Amino acid sequence: LNVTDENFVMETLAGCTEYKSLLDVVVNAFYVRDGKHCLFSERNLYVVICYLATFQLKELGLQHFSRIVKSLDTAKMHKFLRFFFNTLNLNTWIKDEWSHFYDSLYVKENWIDPLLRWQPKVQQVIEQLTDKLNNCTTIVKTSMVTQPKEFNLTVPRPRAIPIPLPIPALEKSHPVPPSTYTTPKEKKQLEEIKIKNRQKAEVSVLYSYSSLSFIQSLCFGIFDLFNPLKFFLYSVLWFSLLTIIYTFPFQQIDNIPIKLNAAAILREGALYQRKMEQELKRVENLLRGARDPSEFLEWQKQMRGKDMEEQLAEIECKRLQGKLSHEEAVLAHQNVIQENKKKADLMREEKTELMHQYAEKRLQEQKEMRELVEQVVEGHKNAKQAKLKLQKYKQQIVQEVCEENRELLRQALEEEEEKLRKRYELIQQIRAIESLPSLKNKFVDLTETGGHGLICEMSIVELRERLALLRETQKAAEEERRDQIIQEKQAKEQLLLDKLDQISLFRAELGRAAALKQEEKKRKSQSGERPVKDERILNLQQKIMEKTMERKKQAELL
């Protein structure tokens, strides 16, 4: 640009920046009201025209301003000038909005009044733009409209009736093996082992009770040796224990070793210790004159047995009621099957009628389809000529596009070669700078500090010495801790061994006591009478028999 044009452009840019808030009010309102369909990328164009009309119209003159307006798009300028130079808009909301930024009297005298004075002359320019818009006629290119033609479709072959699939035969089920109803050998072996163990337990049961009472009396005797009554009782127990030992020699039961961890050993040892304390407390209470709760326990056991019998009778009643409801459900199911058979016969008859109607409908549709195919074949012949013309037109377009692409590729290659050449020169310069020699060696004294002025500063030599002393102290602490851990481990192992000895003793005694209890229970069960069944159970069994007979009769009829 020359000097005058450059000055004009710079003044316009500075003015648009300075009065941006005023110009944004007008342009934003234009986009909201009349310029809804205008592009947002043309916003700066409207800002410049608004600035020239408001602040530079007097200096430019109407002739120069109209020349600038006419050089731009006619429709856009006509729409914006008609909106901006509207007398109603200038006197109302434009004046009010500008008064928010500047004094209202200043706005009216310096900007609104000059615009109103220029309004009649600008209106003439707007009329000229209106005439230009009315006189111009747009040339609309008419394109060839393709006429649709029917396709030449081939006649489809009639579909073959599908062959029905064969009904798959059910596979033969394997019979139940006879081993299902025979008891396994392992069960017999287990029964023999149980009998042998019971015989061994019967032999050693008396010894177990005598030894247990001796342990209890010995524990009390340590603390009450000076009590004459207790001392006499302990001596009698000791004499009876010696007599039983010589009369019935002890036969050890084969114990299968079980591997236990430390937690299990301590847990079981605590359990047996607690049981021993409870037993000692019970014996002490008896010595003091407490009552033996054996009668109450026997009565409690009998009452619990009666409750258990009632519960079993109630469970048997519920089971029989469930069986009765099952028989009733089977009868209801058979009745439903008969009703479904009748409904199925009716459905088959309706299906045959619908198949006949469907066959007639298909024949009619095939006739209509044949007629439609004949019409499409005639239209397909006319479509070939239009296809050839379209193909020639497309080939011509492709040739033009290929030529443009070649030119663009050539320009892009030239630009890329220029970039690579500049990059290569820059790399050569960097490598030349890097090849210059530089001093990198530096003498370091390990006995000096960094000189940063900190209290905790030290040299590398001092740091190494301190690290060596710290490693020695850590190693000594580790050795001490290791010795302590070994001692604790040995003490724990000794405790576990003691607990294991105690557990083995208690297990042997409890096993013998359990065997004796099992023998007593067996004798009581053999001597006792079988309980009489409840009347409710007998009634339910009779009803089930009747329902079963009725169901079998119904099945034979079906």
Side-chain angles (χ1 to χ4, degrees):
L1 298 175
N2 54 25
V3 179
T4 56
D5 293 342
E6 186 177 358
N7 291 335
F8 174 71
V9 171
M10 294 301 293
E11 288 177 1
T12 305
L13 179 60
C16 291
T17 306
E18 182 180 359
Y19 298 105
K20 183 177 182 300
S21 57
L22 301 177
L23 302 176
D24 287 344
V25 170
V26 179
V27 176
N28 291 338
F30 169 70
Y31 271 101
V32 171
R33 296 186 179 182
D34 295 349
K36 292 180 181 179
H37 302 291
C38 296
L39 297 175
F40 194 75
S41 59
E42 298 171 351
R43 188 177 185 280
N44 292 329
L45 174 65
Y46 300 123
V47 170
V48 172
I49 296 299
C50 183
Y51 170 76
L52 294 177
T54 307
F55 301 100
Q56 297 291 333
L57 189 56
K58 186 176 181 181
E59 297 178 2
L60 289 174
L62 183 64
Q63 186 177 0
H64 196 88
F65 178 74
S66 63
R67 198 180 345 172
I68 292 172
V69 170
K70 290 177 181 178
S71 65
L72 301 172
D73 187 81
T74 307
K76 296 173 184 177
M77 291 299 103
H78 174 263
K79 189 180 293 185
F80 181 73
L81 291 176
R82 189 179 61 183
F83 170 77
F84 182 54
F85 281 96
N86 190 354
T87 307
L88 182 62
N89 293 341
L90 290 171
N91 287 324
T92 55
W93 62 268
I94 293 177
K95 178 182 176 182
D96 296 338
E97 290 294 329
W98 285 0
S99 299
H100 292 313
F101 303 100
Y102 295 93
D103 186 51
S104 58
L105 186 61
Y106 180 80
V107 169
K108 185 176 185 305
E109 291 179 356
N110 292 290
W111 296 330
I112 299 298
D113 290 343
L115 287 172
L116 292 173
R117 286 196 298 270
W118 282 102
Q119 198 270 341
K121 297 180 180 179
V122 175
Q123 188 64 31
Q124 296 177 3
V125 177
I126 295 170
E127 291 176 358
Q128 293 175 6
L129 295 173
T130 305
D131 296 338
K132 188 176 179 182
L133 286 173
N134 293 331
N135 293 330
C136 67
T137 57
T138 57
I139 300 171
V140 181
K141 294 183 180 179
T142 57
S143 59
M144 294 293 293
V145 180
T146 56
Q147 298 293 333
K149 294 183 179 180
E150 297 178 353
F151 297 101
N152 186 12
L153 300 175
T154 56
V155 180
R157 295 179 181 179
R159 292 184 181 179
I161 299 171
I163 300 172
L165 296 174
I167 299 171
L170 296 175
E171 295 181 359
K172 277 190 175 183
S173 60
H174 297 286
V176 180
S179 60
T180 306
Y181 304 103
T182 58
T183 56
K185 296 179 180 179
E186 290 79 3
K187 192 172 181 181
K188 294 180 180 178
Q189 293 175 359
L190 290 173
E191 291 292 337
E192 292 175 359
I193 292 169
K194 284 182 181 179
I195 293 168
K196 289 179 181 179
N197 291 335
R198 187 176 291 109
Q199 290 174 358
K200 290 179 181 180
E202 288 173 356
V203 174
S204 59
V205 67
L206 294 174
Y207 170 75
S208 63
Y209 272 96
S210 62
S211 60
L212 182 62
S213 61
F214 171 69
I215 291 168
Q216 295 172 356
S217 62
L218 186 61
C219 293
F220 281 109
I222 293 170
F223 300 102
D224 296 331
L225 288 175
F226 298 100
N227 192 338
L229 178 61
K230 291 184 180 180
F231 184 75
F232 173 73
L233 291 172
Y234 297 149
S235 61
V236 172
L237 288 171
W238 174 252
F239 177 74
S240 62
L241 174 63
L242 292 176
T243 306
I244 291 168
I245 288 172
Y246 286 109
T247 307
F248 301 98
F250 174 68
Q251 294 183 5
Q252 190 176 3
I253 300 173
D254 297 332
N255 290 325
I256 299 171
I258 299 171
K259 189 175 180 181
L260 300 174
N261 55 10
I265 292 168
L266 294 173
R267 195 185 306 116
E268 195 168 356
L271 176 64
Y272 290 143
Q273 184 70 25
R274 190 164 57 251
K275 287 183 178 179
M276 188 176 70
E277 291 175 358
Q278 291 175 359
E279 185 66 21
L280 292 175
K281 189 176 180 181
R282 187 180 69 81
V283 173
E284 186 177 359
N285 291 332
L286 290 174
L287 291 173
R288 289 177 181 176
R291 186 178 179 182
D292 189 8
S294 58
E295 295 179 0
F296 172 74
L297 293 175
E298 185 67 24
W299 174 82
Q300 189 180 24
K301 188 176 179 181
Q302 292 176 1
M303 296 304 294
R304 285 179 178 174
K306 290 181 181 179
D307 293 340
M308 182 61 69
E309 290 176 0
E310 291 178 0
Q311 289 179 3
L312 291 174
E314 189 69 26
I315 291 168
E316 183 68 18
C317 288
K318 289 182 180 179
R319 187 184 69 81
L320 294 174
Q321 287 175 0
K323 194 172 181 181
L324 180 61
S325 62
H326 173 70
E327 294 292 338
E328 292 175 353
V330 171
L331 287 172
H333 181 67
Q334 291 176 353
N335 295 330
V336 171
I337 290 172
Q338 291 180 356
E339 293 178 0
N340 289 338
K341 283 182 179 180
K342 295 178 182 178
K343 291 180 182 178
D345 295 336
L346 294 174
M347 292 291 289
R348 288 193 194 97
E349 294 176 359
E350 293 177 357
K351 186 177 179 181
T352 52
E353 293 179 0
L354 291 173
M355 289 297 291
H356 287 303
Q357 295 177 3
Y358 178 73
E360 294 176 357
K361 187 177 180 181
R362 287 291 296 172
L363 291 173
Q364 184 66 25
E365 288 179 355
Q366 286 179 1
K367 289 180 182 178
E368 294 176 356
M369 188 61 68
R370 289 194 193 96
E371 295 176 358
L372 181 62
V373 168
E374 291 175 358
Q375 294 175 3
V376 170
V377 168
E378 293 177 359
H380 185 65
K381 294 177 182 178
N382 298 327
K384 288 184 179 179
Q385 297 178 359
K387 188 176 180 182
L388 292 173
K389 290 181 182 180
L390 181 62
Q391 190 175 2
K392 290 180 182 179
Y393 179 67
K394 287 182 178 179
Q395 289 176 356
Q396 185 178 358
I397 292 172
V398 169
Q399 290 177 359
E400 293 176 358
V401 171
C402 289
E403 291 176 358
E404 292 178 359
N405 289 338
R406 290 193 196 97
E407 184 65 23
L408 291 173
L409 285 172
R410 186 181 61 76
Q411 293 177 4
L413 286 172
E414 291 177 357
E415 292 176 358
E416 193 65 27
E417 287 176 357
E418 184 66 22
K419 288 181 182 178
L420 289 173
R421 185 179 60 77
K422 290 180 180 179
R423 193 176 298 169
Y424 179 73
E425 292 176 356
L426 182 61
I427 291 169
Q428 292 294 331
Q429 293 175 6
I430 292 169
R431 286 180 178 174
I433 292 169
E434 290 178 350
S435 63
L436 294 175
S438 59
L439 297 174
K440 296 182 179 178
N441 297 327
K442 185 179 180 181
F443 178 73
V444 179
D445 188 5
L446 300 178
T447 59
E448 293 182 357
T449 60
H452 300 295
L454 300 174
I455 299 173
C456 59
E457 277 187 342
M458 65 178 72
S459 62
I460 296 175
V461 175
E462 184 181 356
L463 179 62
R464 289 174 181 172
E465 291 178 357
R466 291 193 178 188
L467 287 174
L469 292 172
L470 184 61
R471 289 193 192 98
E472 290 178 359
T473 54
Q474 286 180 353
K475 191 173 181 181
E478 287 177 1
E479 291 293 335
E480 185 179 356
R481 179 63 180 162
R482 190 177 290 112
D483 295 339
Q484 186 181 357
I485 290 170
I486 290 169
Q487 293 175 2
E488 291 177 357
K489 191 174 181 181
Q490 290 175 355
K492 188 176 180 181
E493 288 177 355
Q494 187 62 34
L495 177 64
L496 291 177
L497 290 174
D498 297 341
K499 289 287 182 181
L500 278 174
D501 295 338
Q502 186 180 3
I503 287 168
S504 62
L505 178 62
F506 274 100
R507 279 183 177 176
E509 300 298 332
L510 290 175
R512 295 186 187 98
L516 184 61
K517 189 176 180 181
Q518 186 69 22
E519 285 297 324
E520 291 178 359
K521 188 176 180 181
K522 185 177 179 181
R523 287 196 297 270
K524 288 180 180 179
S525 63
Q526 289 176 358
S527 62
E529 296 179 355
R530 294 183 64 185
V532 183
K533 287 189 177 180
D534 195 358
E535 293 181 359
R536 294 182 298 169
I537 296 173
L538 296 174
N539 294 333
L540 287 171
Q541 288 178 352
Q542 185 66 27
K543 287 182 181 179
I544 290 169
M545 291 292 293
E546 294 175 359
K547 291 289 182 181
T548 305
M549 295 297 293
E550 186 179 354
R551 177 173 60 82
K552 288 180 180 179
K553 290 179 182 179
Q554 190 73 20
E556 290 175 359
L557 293 174
L558 286 173

